[in-house]
Amino acid sequence: MELFTEGDPIADTKAPAGPVEKRWETRRFEAKLVNPANRRKMTVIVVGTGLAGGSAAATLAEQGYHVKSYCYQDSPRRAHSIAAQGGINAAKNYRNDGDSVHRLFYDTVKGGDFRSRESNVHRLAEVSVNIIDQCVAQGVPFAREYGGLLDTRSFGGAQVQRTFYARGQTGQQLLLGAYQALERQIGLGNVEMNTRHEMLELVLVDGKARGIVVRDMITGEISTEMADAVVLASGGYGNVFYLSTNAKGCNVTATWRAHRKGAYFANPCYTQIHPTCIPVSGDHQSKLTLMSESLRNDGRVWVPKTKGDDRSPKDIPEDERDYYLERIYPSFGNLVPRDIASRAAKNVCDEGRGVGPTKLGVYLDFADAIGRLGRKAIEAKYGNLFEMYERITGEDPYEVPMRIYPAVHYTMGGLWVDYDLQSNIPGLFVIGEANFSDHGANRLGASALMQGLADGYFVLPTTIANYLASGPLEKVDASHPAAVEARTDVEDRVQRLLAVDGDRTVDSFHRELGQIMWEHCGMERSEAGLRKAIDEIRALREQFWQRVKVSGTGEELNQSLEKAGRVADFFELAELMCIDALHREESCGGHFRAEHQTPDGEAQRDDDRFAYVAAWEFTADGEPSVLHKEDLKFEYVHPTQRSYK
């Protein structure tokens, strides 16, 4: 059976022509404005309260719009952005080490393996410098040097120190800054905050996004909420793998529901495997724990030189250790980008040199740094991370090396958007990790926080005004036929899930799906494996709708029902991810096809055939997906074989 057909090409028509460094300035001037009196008459829905959603809701409300904000957590500040550890990039050049907006732009395009748009990435680099000023003004407690100046450190894929941080809890501090701005607007009555509500459908009126259908997760009440525009800031889809560093609640439902309504899903196969996570310890686990990339500033990654060496790391002499990242990539050493570090760890474990009980682990050793800087200096930098590691593993990383192994962490794919962050559905804007726009095939460390806050504080408030200024839009409410139809679809889907009344738990299906995805669409993919995965996913999905057990009712708090809806969407997403990975017959960034690698095992791109964004259109169940290609043009950072040696 045919897996996909090719549709018409698409293009980003919003990015201005001219020098790349002038495009954002030009777009801001050309964008239409909404005067303050008219903003008060307009309503914007924002789904998600992480760094992107929280900053967007606060900023739009500050501008005068009426904002309806939705999250499934019990508080906006519990969005998963709070778990980010290592830092946020910005081209401030406080170190005077050669950094600049252009260098951050270059590093990000190169780090993404030349699969991102130059216009979007340059804007991100420009705006990065404003983010730090904004956050300092909010009181975010960034780390400072002895003299009081903001401190920075290195992250993967860069040879300058441009990463600002707040110990090992940068995401938490940045989110609390956005949260306090959001709470201020809630207190002023400009933001209507709806916690414990999950978006289950997008409402389209005359082809425009005009609202959402949500379920109150406490009472089960389903309601339709209308607005002039809808903003999705609902994060990524890494939990399709079951085991990931994402919070258990993270899901794809908001963006997938929009995809089913016509929004293109771009590059779903671009997933990021983070190289420094605590290894899997057994089948009992339901999630994995990240150890910040910042640890690679001072920690050295190594394995024994000899296969099957079971000695304690303290008993292995220096000359019998393989510091393989420093050996293979002498220019960047332990700070190579994440996709490269992850594959290197997999390779040494595949050779039989892995460590720990499962042999799926490598050492991250701080002995040299403690000897050079002293234990107190390491505690000041990484104390909370070391404590977290010891609590989980029972091992003291001050005394013995950490054991780490790659795990699913972030997704570069997402809904397709133009330069204005608007999807192909008018009025539907997508920001943060939920869109595909800035990172290409691999995100550099400390760039997720940068993108989320750039989109929410600085980009969206300008570009959404351009759309709203084209109104006025027809006034619609929940009684509109399109809204009624969307709500009915949600109610029917809830009843369908409850009616199966099978003999298998939702988690058992999710775990099995995750195993299929990790095995065949994880760190390494192949044509045979991907075809096998598609067949297995389809068979498992059919079983799901015949055998899943969802206890309880829809008119109450029902976590089994919540999970069932999310896993049903993960099944459909997983199939599209495998189709996307199968069609992309090249290796680039986080997408590594075993058939396409250089003689020394590095990713081998095919720029002649695949220098494009793959934007997928949803089709009726059983019909092949439709692929729309957006060609990528490189005027300033010309594609080369990516090398960090």
Side-chain angles (χ1 to χ4, degrees):
M1 178 185 167
E2 191 176 29
L3 293 175
F4 70 92
T5 60
E6 190 168 332
D8 295 332
I10 56 171
D12 172 20
T13 59
K14 299 290 177 60
V20 70
E21 64 273 12
K22 295 290 186 182
R23 289 175 190 171
W24 177 229
E25 182 183 336
T26 301
R27 182 64 188 138
R28 281 190 297 167
F29 178 75
E30 290 177 348
K32 298 174 184 174
L33 302 176
V34 179
N35 82 56
N38 286 338
R39 290 177 207 155
R40 293 193 293 271
K41 303 172 188 175
M42 297 177 175
T43 300
V44 178
I45 285 173
V46 180
V47 180
T49 57
L51 286 180
S55 59
T59 307
L60 292 171
E62 186 79 45
Q63 290 182 335
Y65 298 103
H66 179 66
V67 177
K68 295 181 181 179
S69 178
Y70 296 85
C71 69
Y72 64 76
Q73 296 90 349
D74 58 4
S75 166
R77 70 178 180 276
R78 297 193 71 173
H80 188 57
S81 297
I82 207 159
Q85 297 171 359
I88 178 171
N89 289 329
K92 285 287 198 180
N93 196 31
Y94 285 168
R95 294 273 184 172
N96 196 27
D97 56 0
D99 201 11
S100 63
V101 167
H102 189 82
R103 188 174 294 281
L104 176 52
F105 161 61
Y106 172 85
D107 286 346
T108 305
V109 173
K110 177 186 175 185
D113 217 352
F114 306 96
R115 289 294 177 264
S116 54
R117 287 191 197 131
E118 286 189 332
S119 297
N120 289 60
V121 176
H122 197 280
R123 174 176 65 190
L124 179 64
E126 285 178 66
V127 170
S128 71
V129 298
N130 300 330
I131 296 171
I132 303 303
D133 297 339
Q134 166 86 3
C135 294
V136 169
Q138 289 176 329
V140 172
F142 285 121
R144 292 178 181 268
E145 296 174 329
Y146 180 76
L149 299 176
L150 292 177
D151 196 14
T152 54
R153 58 188 176 196
S154 299
F155 252 65
Q159 291 179 306
V160 295
Q161 291 182 272
R162 64 162 68 99
T163 304
F164 295 78
Y165 65 99
R167 213 174 178 196
Q169 49 183 241
T170 314
Q172 178 178 340
Q173 300 304 327
L174 291 172
L175 185 60
L176 291 175
Y179 169 71
Q180 69 186 23
L182 177 61
E183 284 294 319
R184 176 173 178 268
Q185 295 302 321
I186 293 170
L188 292 171
N190 299 329
V191 174
E192 200 179 299
M193 188 67 238
N194 300 276
T195 59
R196 303 296 285 159
H197 280 72
E198 183 169 24
M199 173 187 160
L200 297 179
E201 193 57 274
L202 178 69
V203 179
L204 300 184
V205 176
D206 297 329
K208 296 186 173 84
R210 295 300 306 272
I212 60 175
V213 179
V214 294
R215 180 177 179 270
D216 184 321
M217 296 161 66
I218 304 297
T219 67
E221 180 186 359
I222 294 170
S223 60
T224 309
E225 307 295 332
M226 307 302 286
D228 296 291
V230 176
V231 179
L232 298 186
S234 51
Y237 48 89
N239 274 351
V240 69
F241 291 90
Y242 186 72
L243 286 179
S244 82
T245 66
N246 290 183
K248 285 298 292 178
C250 294
N251 63 85
V252 75
T253 291
T255 48
W256 194 256
R257 294 288 107 194
H259 175 56
R260 287 183 65 100
K261 280 292 183 77
Y264 295 163
F265 208 112
N267 300 335
C269 77
Y270 289 166
T271 52
Q272 179 162 88
I273 314 295
H274 197 293
T276 52
C277 301
I278 297 177
V280 175
S281 59
D283 292 338
H284 62 281
Q285 277 185 272
S286 61
K287 79 175 299 296
L288 299 174
T289 303
L290 173 74
M291 287 284 103
S292 170
E293 181 168 313
S294 63
L295 294 170
R296 289 195 276 146
N297 273 274
D298 291 302
R300 300 179 70 193
V301 180
W302 66 275
V303 291
K305 287 184 177 179
T306 308
K307 292 181 183 179
D309 190 334
D310 291 328
R311 288 178 292 174
S312 165
K314 283 191 169 184
D315 295 334
I316 300 177
E318 194 72 17
D319 62 354
E320 294 181 34
R321 301 178 177 188
D322 181 11
Y323 294 92
Y324 58 89
L325 291 178
E326 298 173 29
R327 171 175 57 82
I328 302 170
Y329 307 102
S331 291
F332 283 73
N334 295 297
L335 286 170
V336 292
R338 291 174 176 177
D339 58 322
I340 290 173
S342 293
R343 284 197 295 274
K346 179 182 184 298
N347 290 341
V348 295
C349 290
D350 288 349
E351 292 169 6
R353 297 193 287 144
V355 302
T358 65
K359 302 302 179 188
L360 291 177
V362 299
Y363 289 127
L364 183 61
D365 195 336
F366 292 87
D368 285 359
I370 292 171
R372 186 177 73 253
L373 303 172
R375 175 168 172 153
K376 284 190 174 180
I378 297 301
E379 282 181 358
K381 285 183 176 182
Y382 312 117
N384 65 310
L385 299 173
F386 277 45
E387 181 184 348
M388 182 166 63
Y389 180 87
E390 184 173 9
R391 284 187 180 183
I392 292 171
T393 66
E395 299 172 1
D396 181 358
Y398 294 106
E399 299 296 329
V400 296
M402 287 183 178
R403 287 179 294 107
I404 57 168
Y405 193 69
V408 174
H409 177 58
Y410 185 89
T411 52
M412 285 74 68
L415 292 186
W416 183 90
V417 291
D418 60 19
Y419 191 66
D420 283 0
L421 305 182
Q422 184 172 212
S423 73
N424 58 297
I425 296 176
L428 178 65
F429 292 79
V430 191
I431 60 177
E433 190 179 355
N435 74 30
F436 88 101
S437 66
D438 293 346
H439 305 296
N442 175 64
R443 177 177 67 76
L444 292 183
S447 288
L449 307 188
M450 174 173 65
Q451 185 209 348
L453 292 181
D455 288 355
Y457 281 136
F458 298 104
V459 180
L460 179 77
T462 295
T463 60
I464 199 170
N466 181 71
Y467 170 76
L468 294 171
S470 64
L473 297 166
E474 173 195 358
K475 293 296 178 187
V476 293
D477 59 27
S479 64
H480 190 280
V484 173
E485 181 184 359
R487 176 174 173 158
T488 302
D489 288 346
V490 170
E491 292 169 342
D492 290 347
R493 191 161 183 262
V494 167
Q495 291 308 311
R496 185 183 173 201
L497 287 166
L498 291 166
V500 177
D501 196 26
D503 60 356
R504 279 189 64 176
T505 64
V506 177
D507 280 348
S508 73
F509 280 107
H510 193 182
R511 186 185 293 273
E512 189 173 343
L513 173 65
Q515 289 169 342
I516 294 169
M517 292 299 290
W518 180 249
E519 181 70 23
H520 301 300
C521 198
M523 271 196 283
E524 184 173 297
R525 296 114 183 233
S526 68
E527 180 179 356
L530 290 165
R531 290 191 182 279
K532 181 179 179 183
I534 292 167
D535 291 340
E536 290 181 352
I537 291 165
R538 288 175 173 176
L540 189 62
R541 180 184 170 201
E542 190 174 334
Q543 268 197 58
F544 174 86
W545 285 105
Q546 293 171 354
R547 295 182 57 191
V548 72
K549 175 71 173 178
V550 180
S551 55
T553 72
E555 289 76 44
E556 60 182 344
L557 173 63
N558 190 336
Q559 291 185 314
S560 180
L561 176 62
E562 294 163 21
K563 288 191 285 188
R566 296 166 187 171
V567 172
D569 290 334
F570 278 141
F571 273 115
E572 296 180 4
L573 166 70
E575 183 176 331
L576 183 62
M577 289 172 67
C578 292
I579 292 171
D580 188 38
L582 182 63
H583 110 277
R584 190 170 281 279
E585 295 181 28
E586 64 163 355
S587 293
C588 56
H591 168 64
F592 190 79
R593 284 284 295 268
E595 308 95 329
H596 303 284
Q597 52 185 304
T598 63
D600 54 355
E602 300 292 349
Q604 188 166 50
R605 296 193 322 272
D606 186 343
D607 294 332
D608 292 336
R609 297 171 60 209
F610 292 102
Y612 61 75
V613 176
W616 295 91
E617 178 185 353
F618 184 81
T619 52
D621 293 341
E623 295 294 319
S625 297
V626 179
L627 169 64
H628 301 273
K629 297 178 181 178
E630 178 199 337
D631 289 333
L632 293 169
K633 298 179 177 63
F634 296 95
E635 303 172 72
Y636 297 88
V637 184
H638 299 291
T640 57
Q641 177 62 41
R642 199 170 52 139
S643 174
Y644 292 93
K645 294 184 177 182

